[in-house]
Amino acid sequence: TSAFGSFDYNLCHYAATQGQWDSTRTTLVAQQASGLDRHSLSVDPSLPTPVAPLFMVAPTSGSAALGAGHPTLSSKLAKGGVRRESSPDIGSAQFGATVVVPSSPTDLTVQ
C-alpha cells in the first residue's frame, strides 16, 4: 500500500447512490482499513452549480474540500492560475486564492 501513498487526499461523494471505491473495497472505511485513502473524505463537497462562460467549480465557504488537499503533491497553482495556499484545497480550484499575474520578461533581445 505504500506505493499508493500519493493517491490520497481524495473527496468522493455519491449524491444518488451508495457508490463504490473499488471492486473489492466498496466503502471509504474499507479503503482506510486496508491502508489506502487515509486522508480521503466521503462527504458532500458543497460545490456550486457551474455557470457559463467559465463553468468554474470552486469550493464554497464551509466545504470539506477546503484545506484538505495533499500538502506536498498538490499543484502549486489552481485552475485560473491562482496560487494555492500552504493547505491546498481538494480539486482543481482554490477557495479565496489570489490571481497570479506573471511579470514581463526582462532578458529579451531583438535580433
Side-chain angles (χ1 to χ4, degrees):
T1 59
S2 64
F4 292 96
S6 60
F7 297 101
D8 196 353
Y9 296 85
N10 299 298
L11 193 158
C12 296
H13 175 65
Y14 303 97
T17 65
Q18 168 62 36
Q20 186 171 321
W21 283 77
D22 69 25
S23 61
T24 58
R25 293 172 292 277
T26 59
T27 66
L28 175 57
V29 172
Q31 279 289 88
Q32 291 173 332
S34 72
L36 301 170
D37 284 295
R38 291 188 176 173
H39 301 94
S40 293
L41 304 169
S42 182
V43 296
D44 185 344
S46 300
L47 298 175
T49 302
V51 178
L54 299 177
F55 297 100
M56 186 71 160
V57 182
T60 57
S61 178
S63 171
L66 299 181
H70 198 290
T72 59
L73 297 178
S74 292
S75 172
K76 301 301 178 204
L77 295 177
K79 185 174 181 179
V82 296
R83 188 175 310 283
R84 289 193 185 266
E85 301 165 357
S86 58
S87 296
D89 297 342
I90 291 176
S92 63
Q94 181 73 26
F95 177 78
T98 55
V99 175
V100 175
V101 179
S103 59
S104 298
T106 57
D107 60 346
L108 296 178
T109 59
V110 178
Q111 295 185 4

Short mmCIF file of all heavy atoms in Angstrom, two decimals, residues 64-104:
data_model
loop_
_atom_site.label_atom_id
_atom_site.label_comp_id
_atom_site.label_asym_id
_atom_site.label_seq_id
_atom_site.Cartn_x
_atom_site.Cartn_y
_atom_site.Cartn_z
N ALA A 64 -15.96 20.75 2.76
CA ALA A 64 -14.99 19.79 3.30
C ALA A 64 -13.71 19.76 2.47
O ALA A 64 -12.67 19.30 2.95
CB ALA A 64 -15.61 18.40 3.36
N ALA A 65 -13.77 20.26 1.24
CA ALA A 65 -12.59 20.27 0.35
C ALA A 65 -11.57 21.33 0.77
O ALA A 65 -10.40 21.23 0.41
CB ALA A 65 -13.03 20.52 -1.09
N LEU A 66 -11.99 22.31 1.55
CA LEU A 66 -11.10 23.41 1.92
C LEU A 66 -9.96 22.92 2.81
O LEU A 66 -10.18 22.32 3.86
CB LEU A 66 -11.87 24.52 2.64
CG LEU A 66 -12.98 25.19 1.85
CD1 LEU A 66 -13.64 26.27 2.68
CD2 LEU A 66 -12.47 25.75 0.54
N GLY A 67 -8.74 23.16 2.36
CA GLY A 67 -7.56 22.80 3.14
C GLY A 67 -7.33 21.31 3.29
O GLY A 67 -6.49 20.90 4.09
N ALA A 68 -8.03 20.50 2.52
CA ALA A 68 -7.93 19.04 2.67
C ALA A 68 -7.15 18.37 1.55
O ALA A 68 -7.12 17.15 1.46
CB ALA A 68 -9.34 18.44 2.75
N GLY A 69 -6.48 19.15 0.69
CA GLY A 69 -5.67 18.58 -0.39
C GLY A 69 -4.33 18.07 0.11
O GLY A 69 -3.96 18.29 1.26
N HIS A 70 -3.61 17.38 -0.76
CA HIS A 70 -2.31 16.82 -0.37
C HIS A 70 -1.35 17.97 -0.09
O HIS A 70 -1.15 18.85 -0.92
CB HIS A 70 -1.76 15.93 -1.49
CG HIS A 70 -0.69 15.02 -1.02
ND1 HIS A 70 0.55 15.47 -0.64
CD2 HIS A 70 -0.68 13.67 -0.83
CE1 HIS A 70 1.29 14.44 -0.26
NE2 HIS A 70 0.56 13.34 -0.36
N PRO A 71 -0.72 18.00 1.08
CA PRO A 71 0.13 19.13 1.46
C PRO A 71 1.39 19.31 0.62
O PRO A 71 1.91 20.42 0.51
CB PRO A 71 0.48 18.85 2.92
CG PRO A 71 0.28 17.38 3.09
CD PRO A 71 -0.79 16.98 2.12
N THR A 72 1.89 18.25 -0.01
CA THR A 72 3.13 18.39 -0.79
C THR A 72 2.97 18.01 -2.26
O THR A 72 3.77 18.45 -3.09
CB THR A 72 4.25 17.51 -0.20
OG1 THR A 72 3.83 16.14 -0.20
CG2 THR A 72 4.60 17.96 1.21
N LEU A 73 1.97 17.23 -2.62
CA LEU A 73 1.82 16.79 -4.01
C LEU A 73 0.75 17.54 -4.80
O LEU A 73 0.62 17.32 -5.99
CB LEU A 73 1.53 15.28 -4.05
CG LEU A 73 2.64 14.39 -3.49
CD1 LEU A 73 2.23 12.92 -3.53
CD2 LEU A 73 3.94 14.60 -4.24
N SER A 74 -0.01 18.41 -4.15
CA SER A 74 -0.99 19.21 -4.88
C SER A 74 -0.27 20.23 -5.75
O SER A 74 0.81 20.71 -5.39
CB SER A 74 -1.91 19.95 -3.90
OG SER A 74 -2.73 19.04 -3.20
N SER A 75 -0.88 20.57 -6.87
CA SER A 75 -0.31 21.57 -7.76
C SER A 75 -0.14 22.89 -7.00
O SER A 75 -0.96 23.23 -6.16
CB SER A 75 -1.24 21.78 -8.95
OG SER A 75 -0.81 22.87 -9.72
N LYS A 76 0.91 23.63 -7.30
CA LYS A 76 1.16 24.93 -6.66
C LYS A 76 0.22 26.01 -7.19
O LYS A 76 0.01 27.02 -6.54
CB LYS A 76 2.62 25.37 -6.85
CG LYS A 76 3.63 24.39 -6.29
CD LYS A 76 3.42 24.17 -4.81
CE LYS A 76 4.41 23.14 -4.29
NZ LYS A 76 3.98 22.48 -3.10
N LEU A 77 -0.32 25.80 -8.39
CA LEU A 77 -1.29 26.72 -8.97
C LEU A 77 -2.60 26.00 -9.19
O LEU A 77 -2.63 24.86 -9.65
CB LEU A 77 -0.79 27.29 -10.29
CG LEU A 77 0.46 28.16 -10.24
CD1 LEU A 77 0.86 28.58 -11.65
CD2 LEU A 77 0.24 29.37 -9.36
N ALA A 78 -3.69 26.68 -8.89
CA ALA A 78 -5.02 26.12 -9.11
C ALA A 78 -5.56 26.58 -10.45
O ALA A 78 -4.94 27.39 -11.15
CB ALA A 78 -5.95 26.56 -7.98
N LYS A 79 -6.73 26.10 -10.81
CA LYS A 79 -7.38 26.49 -12.06
C LYS A 79 -7.50 28.01 -12.12
O LYS A 79 -7.81 28.64 -11.13
CB LYS A 79 -8.76 25.84 -12.15
CG LYS A 79 -9.46 26.09 -13.45
CD LYS A 79 -10.74 25.33 -13.54
CE LYS A 79 -11.40 25.60 -14.87
NZ LYS A 79 -12.64 24.87 -15.03
N GLY A 80 -7.22 28.57 -13.27
CA GLY A 80 -7.28 30.01 -13.43
C GLY A 80 -5.98 30.71 -13.07
O GLY A 80 -5.90 31.92 -13.06
N GLY A 81 -4.93 29.92 -12.75
CA GLY A 81 -3.63 30.50 -12.45
C GLY A 81 -3.53 31.10 -11.06
O GLY A 81 -2.68 31.95 -10.83
N VAL A 82 -4.40 30.69 -10.15
CA VAL A 82 -4.32 31.22 -8.79
C VAL A 82 -3.38 30.38 -7.94
O VAL A 82 -3.33 29.16 -8.05
CB VAL A 82 -5.71 31.35 -8.13
CG1 VAL A 82 -6.58 32.35 -8.85
CG2 VAL A 82 -6.41 30.01 -8.06
N ARG A 83 -2.63 31.06 -7.09
CA ARG A 83 -1.65 30.39 -6.23
C ARG A 83 -2.37 29.68 -5.09
O ARG A 83 -3.24 30.22 -4.46
CB ARG A 83 -0.67 31.41 -5.68
CG ARG A 83 0.49 30.77 -4.95
CD ARG A 83 1.54 31.80 -4.51
NE ARG A 83 1.98 32.71 -5.56
CZ ARG A 83 2.84 32.39 -6.52
NH1 ARG A 83 3.34 31.19 -6.59
NH2 ARG A 83 3.19 33.27 -7.43
N ARG A 84 -1.96 28.43 -4.86
CA ARG A 84 -2.54 27.67 -3.75
C ARG A 84 -1.87 28.09 -2.45
O ARG A 84 -0.71 28.48 -2.42
CB ARG A 84 -2.34 26.18 -3.96
CG ARG A 84 -3.20 25.63 -5.09
CD ARG A 84 -3.18 24.12 -5.00
NE ARG A 84 -3.88 23.51 -6.09
CZ ARG A 84 -5.15 23.14 -6.04
NH1 ARG A 84 -5.86 23.33 -4.95
NH2 ARG A 84 -5.72 22.57 -7.06
N GLU A 85 -2.61 27.94 -1.37
CA GLU A 85 -2.10 28.26 -0.05
C GLU A 85 -1.29 27.08 0.47
O GLU A 85 -1.19 26.04 -0.17
CB GLU A 85 -3.27 28.57 0.87
CG GLU A 85 -4.11 29.74 0.36
CD GLU A 85 -5.47 29.84 1.03
OE1 GLU A 85 -5.80 28.98 1.86
OE2 GLU A 85 -6.19 30.79 0.72
N SER A 86 -0.73 27.21 1.67
CA SER A 86 0.06 26.11 2.24
C SER A 86 -0.80 24.89 2.55
O SER A 86 -0.30 23.78 2.60
CB SER A 86 0.79 26.58 3.50
OG SER A 86 -0.14 27.06 4.45
N SER A 87 -2.09 25.10 2.75
CA SER A 87 -3.04 23.99 2.92
C SER A 87 -3.96 24.00 1.71
O SER A 87 -5.02 24.65 1.72
CB SER A 87 -3.86 24.16 4.20
OG SER A 87 -3.03 24.10 5.33
N PRO A 88 -3.58 23.32 0.62
CA PRO A 88 -4.37 23.38 -0.61
C PRO A 88 -5.73 22.70 -0.46
O PRO A 88 -5.90 21.81 0.36
CB PRO A 88 -3.50 22.64 -1.62
CG PRO A 88 -2.67 21.71 -0.79
CD PRO A 88 -2.44 22.41 0.50
N ASP A 89 -6.67 23.14 -1.28
CA ASP A 89 -7.98 22.52 -1.31
C ASP A 89 -7.93 21.27 -2.18
O ASP A 89 -7.06 21.14 -3.05
CB ASP A 89 -9.02 23.47 -1.90
CG ASP A 89 -9.20 24.73 -1.06
OD1 ASP A 89 -8.80 24.73 0.12
OD2 ASP A 89 -9.74 25.71 -1.60
N ILE A 90 -8.85 20.36 -1.97
CA ILE A 90 -9.01 19.21 -2.86
C ILE A 90 -9.66 19.72 -4.14
O ILE A 90 -10.61 20.50 -4.10
CB ILE A 90 -9.88 18.11 -2.23
CG1 ILE A 90 -9.16 17.46 -1.05
CG2 ILE A 90 -10.28 17.05 -3.26
CD1 ILE A 90 -9.98 16.44 -0.29
N GLY A 91 -9.15 19.29 -5.28
CA GLY A 91 -9.74 19.67 -6.56
C GLY A 91 -8.88 20.67 -7.32
O GLY A 91 -7.79 21.05 -6.89
N SER A 92 -9.39 21.12 -8.46
CA SER A 92 -8.61 21.98 -9.33
C SER A 92 -8.70 23.46 -8.96
O SER A 92 -7.90 24.26 -9.42
CB SER A 92 -9.07 21.80 -10.78
OG SER A 92 -10.42 22.21 -10.91
N ALA A 93 -9.65 23.84 -8.13
CA ALA A 93 -9.83 25.24 -7.74
C ALA A 93 -9.38 25.46 -6.31
O ALA A 93 -9.31 24.52 -5.52
CB ALA A 93 -11.29 25.64 -7.90
N GLN A 94 -9.06 26.69 -5.98
CA GLN A 94 -8.62 27.05 -4.62
C GLN A 94 -9.51 28.18 -4.12
O GLN A 94 -9.58 29.24 -4.73
CB GLN A 94 -7.16 27.49 -4.63
CG GLN A 94 -6.59 27.86 -3.29
CD GLN A 94 -6.35 26.66 -2.38
OE1 GLN A 94 -6.13 25.54 -2.84
NE2 GLN A 94 -6.40 26.88 -1.10
N PHE A 95 -10.20 27.97 -3.01
CA PHE A 95 -11.08 28.97 -2.43
C PHE A 95 -10.28 30.15 -1.89
O PHE A 95 -9.29 29.97 -1.20
CB PHE A 95 -11.90 28.34 -1.29
CG PHE A 95 -12.79 29.30 -0.58
CD1 PHE A 95 -13.99 29.68 -1.14
CD2 PHE A 95 -12.44 29.82 0.65
CE1 PHE A 95 -14.83 30.56 -0.49
CE2 PHE A 95 -13.27 30.70 1.32
CZ PHE A 95 -14.47 31.07 0.75
N GLY A 96 -10.70 31.37 -2.22
CA GLY A 96 -10.09 32.56 -1.67
C GLY A 96 -8.66 32.82 -2.10
O GLY A 96 -7.94 33.57 -1.45
N ALA A 97 -8.21 32.21 -3.19
CA ALA A 97 -6.83 32.38 -3.65
C ALA A 97 -6.68 33.70 -4.40
O ALA A 97 -7.65 34.27 -4.87
CB ALA A 97 -6.42 31.22 -4.53
N THR A 98 -5.45 34.16 -4.52
CA THR A 98 -5.17 35.39 -5.25
C THR A 98 -4.67 35.05 -6.65
O THR A 98 -3.95 34.09 -6.84
CB THR A 98 -4.12 36.23 -4.52
OG1 THR A 98 -2.95 35.43 -4.32
CG2 THR A 98 -4.62 36.70 -3.18
N VAL A 99 -5.05 35.87 -7.61
CA VAL A 99 -4.67 35.64 -9.00
C VAL A 99 -3.18 35.95 -9.16
O VAL A 99 -2.68 36.95 -8.67
CB VAL A 99 -5.50 36.52 -9.96
CG1 VAL A 99 -5.02 36.37 -11.40
CG2 VAL A 99 -6.96 36.17 -9.85
N VAL A 100 -2.48 35.07 -9.87
CA VAL A 100 -1.06 35.27 -10.14
C VAL A 100 -0.93 35.95 -11.50
O VAL A 100 -1.38 35.42 -12.51
CB VAL A 100 -0.31 33.91 -10.16
CG1 VAL A 100 1.13 34.11 -10.56
CG2 VAL A 100 -0.44 33.23 -8.82
N VAL A 101 -0.33 37.13 -11.51
CA VAL A 101 -0.11 37.84 -12.76
C VAL A 101 1.37 37.72 -13.08
O VAL A 101 2.21 38.24 -12.36
CB VAL A 101 -0.51 39.33 -12.64
CG1 VAL A 101 -0.24 40.06 -13.94
CG2 VAL A 101 -1.95 39.44 -12.22
N PRO A 102 1.72 37.00 -14.15
CA PRO A 102 3.14 36.84 -14.48
C PRO A 102 3.77 38.17 -14.86
O PRO A 102 3.15 39.00 -15.49
CB PRO A 102 3.15 35.87 -15.66
CG PRO A 102 1.75 35.67 -16.07
CD PRO A 102 0.85 36.33 -15.07
N SER A 103 5.00 38.35 -14.45
CA SER A 103 5.72 39.58 -14.80
C SER A 103 6.24 39.47 -16.22
O SER A 103 6.41 38.39 -16.76
CB SER A 103 6.88 39.82 -13.83
OG SER A 103 7.76 38.73 -13.88
N SER A 104 6.51 40.61 -16.82
CA SER A 104 7.04 40.65 -18.17
C SER A 104 8.49 40.18 -18.15
O SER A 104 9.23 40.52 -17.22
CB SER A 104 6.98 42.06 -18.75
OG SER A 104 5.64 42.47 -18.82
#
